[in-house]
Structure formats: C-alpha cells, structure tokens
Amino acid sequence: MQCLTLWLVAGAAALAQEPFTVATAIRKAWRDQSGLKAGRAMAEGKREEAAGFDALKLPTLTLQAQGVRTDEPMQAFGMKLNQSRIAALDFNPSSLNRPDAIMGFGGSAVVQQPLYAGGRISAARWAGEYTAQAESASQTRREQETAMAIVEAYFGAQVAEQALLWVEDTRTWILGLEAFAGARVQQGLMLESELQRLKAVHAQVEAQKADVIRQVRAARSGLGLLTGSAPVEAPLATPLQAEGAALSASTLVPIRADLQAAELQAKAAGQAAKAAAGSLKPEVGLELGAGTLRQSWHQGGTWTWAAVGVKWKVFSGPDRARSNAAQAQARAAEDMRTFKQQQAEHEVRVAREALRAAEAKHAAAREALAASEESKRLREARHREGLTPLTDVLDAEAALQGARTLLLQSLYDLRISRAALDLATGAPIEGVTL
C-alpha cells in the first residue's frame, strides 16, 4: 500500500511537470478561468431570457382555489346563486337584508391566449434571441482576448527565463575574469583597481540576477492567474521563435466576434423599438374559463365562460416616451456597430504595421548580436595579450548584453505582433480553437 501511495505521488508530480504548451495554456484558461466561467453563465442567462420571451406567444393557465364565509347581503345571495341553491324564501326581504352567515369553497381555471399584441410579442422574442446571440459572440471575443493575454504572459515568462540564463552566463564569465585578473594582480601585471572594478561589475550582475528571478516568478504567477490555477511550474514547451515565416493571419477569416456582437445588439435594439411601439397599438385576447362554488363535495354549482376582448391605449404619455427612447437606443446601437467596424479596420492596419516593424527589428537584432559576440571575442583575446584595457572588455560585455536584450525583445514583439494581428482580424490566436 505504501509503495502504491508513493507511486501515485510520483506520478502526480511527473504529470504536473509535463511540458506546458501555449495551446494547452489557452485551452486551460478557456475551461478553468473564473472570469470566463462567469461569462458563460451570463450567456446562459441570456439564452434562458430568450426562451422566456419565446414563451410569450403561449397561452397562460391560471388556477385559483378559495374558501369563503360571509353574511354580507349581496355576497351571501351571490354565493347561494353560484352554489345553485337559491329558493323562494331567499327572496324574503328579511332574509335578503339580514342573511345568515353562509360558507362555501370552490375554484376556477382560466386560460388566456393573446391573439394580437401590436407586434410586441414577436418583436420581444426576436430581441431576446438577438441579445442572447450577442452575448454568446461577446463571450467568444472574451475568450480570444484571454488567449491574447495568455500569449503575452506565456512568452513573457520565456523571455524572463532566457534572460536569467544569459545573466547566469555573464556571472560565470565575470567569475572567470575575476580569477584571471586576480592572478595577474598577484604577478604584478595588473593594477588592483582593475580587480576591484571587476568585483563591482560582479555585484551588479548579482543584483541583475535577483531582479530577473523576480520577473520569472511574477510571469509564471500571472500565467497561472490567467489559466485559472496556481503559478505554472511546468516547463514551457512552445518555443519563443516560431517555426516558419508565415504565421500572420490570413485575410480570409470569419467576421470578428465583437463585430458579430455589435451587429446582433443593433438588431436587438431595433426589435426592442418595435416592441415599445407596439404598446401604442390595440391588443386582442381570448379568455376561456370554468369555475365552481360548493356547499359540500356533492352539492354546488359550476359555470363556464368564453370571451374575446380588445384593449387599446389611444394615448399614453409614458408609453410614447418609452417608444421614443427605444428608437433612440436603436439608432445608438446602429451607430456603435458602424464605429466598431471602423475601429476594427483601424486595429488591423495598426497590427499589420506593428508586425512589419517587429520583423525589421528582429532582423536588425540578429545582426547586432552577431557583431557584439565577435567584438567581445576579439577584445577578450587582445586583453589576454595585454593589448587592450579591461574597460574595453567590459564595454564589449555590456554591448553584448544589450544586443541579447534587443534580440529577446524583438522575438517577443514578433510573436506578440502576430497574435495581435490574429486578434484584430478575428483569426484563431496561435491557431487554437475550441
């Protein structure tokens, strides 16, 4: 049993450390993040509301039960009439004016069916349906925006981890240079001030390492927050530098989810305006009912009725104001749809320009890194031969660190720019779909 427990614990630890791809992170966020769960609940609520609007066209059944005891003259006479037990003595003025208390129990069933409501029922049903669809589209957009945030956090963590590796390389290099300089100082071939300068640089590298470690932990914690879990500890398996040159979004992509939502919201507002205007039109309804009032289980009366009624608010200031307000909201929704379309076109243009700039920056960063590495190699060789002062070597190392930072930032910008273009055009980010 103990061996089995140890095996299960070891298996769980191994599973927790399985490589964690960006696609896995995105799907985990879609599944587990509380913010997106709340969005799904909102979309479900809108669908239920739409189902309620759809049910407005169905008949309404109302059941009522009651028990009565009264000696009020008119009600007492009416109860006897409803119980089918009126007799000649009940018309005696004394009995009519001062009746004995009478008791009864009964109930009724009423079915009401709207026949015409000025188009309000149909308009309300479509408004509810469009609103539910708009909320679902908005949820899809929230998922895409979350995917974009995942890409930023995921590759941000990778950038921080690569920076940590390079800081460690610099630390190892500076330790070796310190040892070399210490030996030269003991031989009297180098000034003590040069060694102290190296120790100062070493301290700066240690401080830089501590800061980068903080960045790594913060990035992994943020990634865990976005995916709905604790800080991510597993290895990040998707490389920062994407394979293949063409990862940018195609122009043949479906309409953006937020644009779908805006269009559906405009349609919903238009139908809501129709529903509000319908309140100023006549209503026609059918009512069928049956009732009974009993003196006992075996004695009493029953009755039925059927009615068709028409009601028309010829003038209602509040209803007229609500109709005008709904029409204004419909115009606002349509204008917002147009603006969002223009905004989306602007975002696509900006994203394409950002991608071009990121590609150019990456190409320049690669050249800068190659040149910095060669410069450092040459200066180190000349320094060991005593031909170059230590400051030149340290300057070359600083330039190399800057080139590495530029390359990392360019790789990150390139990856993020491609994802941003996908988000702007509505394409699946990193090719990930549900």
Side-chain angles (χ1 to χ4, degrees):
M1 184 66 180
Q2 184 178 5
C3 292
L4 177 61
T5 303
L6 291 175
W7 180 82
L8 289 174
V9 171
L15 182 62
Q17 295 301 317
E18 286 183 358
F20 195 57
T21 66
V22 68
T24 301
I26 290 173
R27 291 194 176 97
K28 188 176 187 305
W30 288 348
R31 182 184 67 245
D32 298 337
Q33 193 199 96
S34 296
L36 292 179
K37 287 182 179 179
R40 286 195 292 272
M42 290 172 59
E44 180 63 25
K46 293 298 182 182
R47 286 193 291 271
E48 292 299 327
E49 287 183 9
F53 286 124
D54 191 48
L56 290 174
K57 63 184 179 182
L58 300 177
T60 301
L61 173 62
T62 304
L63 300 178
Q64 181 180 359
Q66 61 179 351
V68 182
R69 180 187 182 280
T70 183
D71 59 359
E72 194 270 328
M74 182 175 290
Q75 190 172 2
F77 185 85
M79 283 183 61
K80 283 189 175 183
L81 186 63
N82 286 338
Q83 291 174 341
S84 300
R85 61 189 186 101
I86 288 290
L89 292 177
D90 292 319
F91 291 92
N92 187 313
S94 177
S95 298
L96 289 173
N97 291 329
R98 290 180 295 277
D100 296 330
I102 186 172
M103 292 187 297
F105 61 92
S108 63
V110 180
V111 176
Q112 294 174 314
Q113 173 66 58
L115 301 178
Y116 174 74
R120 279 182 296 173
I121 294 177
S122 176
R125 180 171 65 86
W126 280 111
E129 180 64 26
Y130 288 141
T131 300
Q133 293 178 13
E135 187 61 39
S136 296
S138 296
Q139 174 66 9
T140 300
R141 184 61 179 180
R142 288 191 289 267
E143 290 172 351
Q144 289 300 95
E145 290 171 347
T146 299
M148 180 68 197
I150 289 287
V151 170
E152 293 174 343
Y154 186 96
F155 293 111
Q158 280 198 359
V159 166
E161 289 176 352
Q162 182 59 56
L164 181 60
L165 292 176
W166 281 344
V167 168
E168 192 60 41
D169 288 346
T170 301
R171 180 177 175 275
T172 302
W173 173 79
I174 203 70
L175 286 172
L177 197 57
E178 273 190 70
F180 171 76
R184 297 294 292 270
V185 168
Q186 290 179 357
Q187 296 171 3
L189 301 176
M190 185 177 287
L191 297 175
E192 177 68 23
S193 61
E194 298 294 310
L195 179 60
Q196 295 303 318
R197 179 176 295 177
L198 286 174
K199 289 183 178 180
V201 173
H202 184 187
Q204 293 173 1
V205 171
E206 293 291 349
Q208 184 180 4
K209 179 181 177 181
D211 186 59
V212 173
I213 290 174
R214 176 193 63 78
Q215 293 176 16
V216 170
R217 291 174 178 170
R220 283 185 169 269
S221 178
L223 183 57
L225 174 65
L226 289 169
T227 56
S229 65
V232 175
E233 300 294 342
L236 304 182
T238 304
L240 175 61
Q241 187 168 6
E243 297 179 0
L247 281 185
S248 58
S250 168
T251 55
L252 299 176
V253 295
I255 184 173
R256 272 174 41 165
D258 58 334
L259 298 183
Q260 291 179 344
E263 182 176 356
L264 290 166
Q265 287 165 356
K267 289 182 178 180
Q271 292 297 324
K274 290 182 180 180
S279 64
L280 299 172
K281 296 180 180 179
E283 303 175 44
V284 181
L286 170 67
E287 181 176 296
L288 304 175
T292 183
L293 189 62
R294 321 292 296 179
Q295 182 183 10
S296 66
W297 289 110
H298 304 290
Q299 185 176 1
T302 59
W303 60 92
T304 61
W305 72 92
V308 175
V310 178
K311 182 175 67 174
W312 189 358
K313 291 182 181 179
V314 177
F315 176 78
S316 172
D319 286 345
R320 174 63 66 182
R322 281 191 287 269
S323 177
N324 292 338
Q327 291 175 8
Q329 291 171 359
R331 292 192 299 272
E334 187 62 33
D335 290 340
M336 181 57 68
R337 184 196 67 78
T338 302
F339 173 74
K340 283 189 173 293
Q341 179 64 47
Q342 296 170 345
Q343 184 181 39
E345 293 170 357
H346 165 73
E347 289 173 356
V348 170
R349 290 192 295 270
V350 170
R352 292 193 187 282
E353 291 300 324
L355 180 56
R356 293 189 185 98
E359 290 171 344
K361 180 179 178 181
H362 176 58
R366 291 176 61 184
E367 293 179 3
L369 179 62
S372 297
E373 289 174 341
E374 180 64 14
S375 175
K376 179 185 174 183
R377 186 188 67 79
L378 293 174
R379 292 192 185 190
E380 280 185 328
R382 291 176 63 82
H383 174 69
R384 290 184 181 277
E385 294 175 2
L387 302 175
T388 300
L390 178 62
T391 53
D392 284 2
V393 177
L394 295 179
D395 289 344
E397 175 62 23
L400 179 59
Q401 289 185 19
R404 285 174 170 175
T405 300
L406 179 63
L407 179 64
L408 265 184
Q409 188 63 48
S410 70
L411 284 171
Y412 178 78
D413 290 347
L414 186 58
R415 195 73 186 237
I416 299 306
S417 295
R418 286 167 174 164
L421 182 55
D422 287 339
L423 182 65
T425 58
I429 294 177
E430 291 289 327
V432 181
T433 57
L434 288 174

